[in-house]
Amino acid sequence: MATYTKLSSGSWRVQVRRKGRYVSETFLRRDDARRWATETERQVDRGETPTKSRVARLKTFGELIDLHIDDMCDVGKSPRRSKAAALAMLKRQLGKCNVAALDRERLIRFGRERAAQGAGPMTLGIDIGFIKLVLSHAAAVHGLPVKVEPVDLARIALKRLGLVGKGCERDRRPTQDELDRLIAHFDSNPLQIAPVGRIIRFAVATAMRQEEICKARWSDLENRTRMLLIRDRKDPRNKKGNNQRIPLFAATGFDAWAIVEEQRARRSNDDDRIFPFNHKSVGTAFRRACADLSIHDLHFHDLRHEGTSRLFEAGFTIEQVALVTGHKDWKMLRRYTHLKPEMLHTIQAANAA
């Protein structure tokens, strides 16, 4: 039975006690309070968790995206850059869509539109995954009557159409000539402030990501053991606190420790970062240099790929390479290992020695 109380502010407070459950809400109008109380009693009778009035009023997919983001921020897990960008895109394209209208047909149309915009099979698969995440969050956390089955059916349809699937594994490796030209390009430029040539060599030597390199600290360097602590390494589950110690050695054709010593000799301030430069600026300089040198289809991340492949070519096992690259899933690590056939001679000779 619902109890209504008019507050001094003029608002109405409604309390519902039913089958041992107690919930209450405050409304500006009595009619709104009555409608909420009636629906709440029905939910309790069906064995469902009563929905708060604020959440119950949410109608569009964009509002559910905001609800998901707010909830994740409340528990200290705000979306990081890639997820935030994906959710922003979904809000632009599907935000005004009524949740009830977000059926299989609408999702298939969304998939076709995204593919026409240039989204590849893996990207579209990630987009569909985020749509399901937002809907399932609303249903599981807030008890909203939203369905996730249409998302699964749409994924099957898009997969049959060839619009959702595994992405093409990138296997671009820079040649030694390309690396030499890039390094010489930066080292010979007196106007270049960031030591991008040194950073390129360090990237191949350590298989570290661009952002990791520009965040590495002197205080995390162990001089005696020649180890470097990388903080918060990228991880699909939880990046925060995912720290890893890696060796700085000369197994890939470039000596990581010697590069650090070069950088130490040029240290001119108290900045604790070994390479105190914005990683985005480094990436921009790298892209411009590739354009100037007519080096096509080479990304900075390909240097991590190159360093990883060189570790395998040096004879290290998957388990040992993972200690450098930080991969926890060895299947994921395999996609980085595009060995040059001619290196089999070197590996065989080393094993025979």
Side-chain angles (χ1 to χ4, degrees):
M1 185 68 180
T3 302
Y4 301 89
T5 305
K6 190 169 185 178
L7 305 177
S8 58
S9 63
S11 299
W12 288 87
R13 182 174 180 78
V14 56
Q15 298 168 300
V16 175
R17 294 180 176 85
R18 197 174 186 86
K19 294 184 177 181
R21 301 293 298 271
Y22 169 80
V23 288
S24 65
E25 285 277 3
T26 302
F27 297 86
L28 292 176
R29 301 190 308 168
R30 193 180 194 283
D31 285 347
D32 292 336
R34 179 181 55 78
R35 280 192 291 269
W36 176 82
T38 300
E39 178 58 29
T40 297
E41 289 173 344
R42 290 172 180 168
Q43 288 179 318
V44 173
D45 289 341
R46 294 194 298 263
E48 301 173 357
T49 301
T51 306
K52 292 184 178 181
S53 60
R54 178 184 70 86
V55 176
R57 289 195 294 268
L58 302 181
K59 300 298 182 184
T60 67
F61 185 64
E63 291 172 330
L64 295 191
I65 291 176
D66 291 337
L67 179 67
H68 173 76
I69 294 175
D70 290 343
D71 287 347
M72 299 312 294
C73 290
D74 286 344
V75 295
K77 294 185 177 180
S78 57
R80 295 187 179 274
R81 183 175 58 187
S82 58
K83 181 179 179 180
L87 292 177
M89 179 278 299
L90 290 175
K91 190 172 181 179
R92 287 193 304 272
Q93 299 208 13
L94 294 174
K96 295 181 180 180
C97 183
N98 190 291
V99 177
L102 203 62
D103 55 11
R104 175 191 58 82
E105 185 178 355
R106 180 66 185 88
L107 291 171
I108 293 174
R109 189 162 78 250
F110 163 78
R112 290 178 181 274
E113 292 168 354
R114 282 286 287 154
Q117 294 167 1
M122 178 170 283
T123 299
L124 183 54
I126 293 172
D127 293 343
I128 296 296
F130 278 130
I131 292 173
K132 184 174 181 178
L133 173 67
V134 170
L135 293 175
S136 59
H137 177 91
V141 178
H142 297 282
L144 285 175
V146 297
K147 298 179 180 179
V148 297
E149 291 83 359
V151 184
D152 294 329
L153 291 174
R155 180 187 289 275
I156 293 173
L158 292 169
K159 189 173 183 179
R160 297 284 178 85
L161 294 170
L163 302 180
V164 164
K166 294 182 179 179
C168 298
E169 293 186 358
R170 184 173 174 80
D171 60 359
R172 173 69 159 96
R173 290 185 61 177
T175 64
Q176 187 60 50
D177 177 67
E178 288 174 332
L179 290 174
D180 291 341
R181 288 165 58 203
L182 281 167
I183 293 169
H185 173 84
F186 287 111
D187 290 350
S188 63
N189 184 359
L191 300 179
Q192 179 65 47
I193 299 175
V196 183
R198 205 171 303 134
I199 291 174
I200 289 173
R201 289 189 283 133
F202 193 74
V204 177
T206 62
M208 287 172 64
R209 299 176 179 85
Q210 180 177 318
E211 189 172 1
E212 291 172 345
I213 293 173
C214 293
K215 285 186 176 180
R217 308 176 186 176
W218 290 109
S219 55
D220 288 332
L221 196 64
E222 301 173 16
N223 293 314
R224 184 180 63 83
T225 58
R226 297 190 175 185
M227 300 289 289
L228 174 66
L229 177 68
I230 304 176
R231 297 181 180 273
D232 299 332
R233 288 206 98 166
K234 182 178 179 182
D235 185 89
R237 297 173 183 85
N238 188 13
K239 175 180 176 181
K240 190 172 183 179
N242 182 38
N243 303 334
Q244 182 188 13
R245 294 170 67 247
I246 68 166
L248 299 181
F249 51 16
T252 67
F254 295 108
D255 189 335
W257 183 256
I259 297 169
V260 167
E261 288 298 301
E262 289 179 39
Q263 191 64 14
R264 192 196 304 273
R266 292 166 173 78
R267 188 178 181 185
S268 59
N269 54 44
D270 295 330
D271 196 314
D272 194 35
R273 293 175 297 163
I274 298 175
F275 295 97
F277 304 94
N278 187 301
H279 73 278
K280 293 182 180 179
S281 299
V282 172
T284 299
F286 183 86
R287 288 190 295 273
R288 288 175 178 170
C290 287
D292 292 342
L293 298 172
S294 298
I295 297 176
H296 303 294
D297 190 35
L298 184 65
H299 305 162
F300 191 95
H301 193 73
D302 294 332
L303 304 182
R304 170 172 165 82
H305 184 139
E306 177 67 16
T308 305
S309 297
R310 289 191 181 198
L311 288 172
F312 279 102
E313 291 170 350
F316 289 99
T317 64
I318 289 181
E319 301 93 322
Q320 292 168 336
V321 173
L323 294 176
V324 179
T325 64
H327 287 91
K328 294 181 180 179
D329 185 346
W330 292 351
K331 291 181 181 178
M332 187 66 181
L333 183 58
R334 287 194 185 96
R335 71 183 296 269
Y336 284 89
T337 59
H338 300 282
L339 306 185
K340 296 176 181 177
E342 58 268 25
M343 290 304 299
L344 295 177
H345 291 297
T346 304
I347 295 174
Q348 191 276 334
N351 292 335

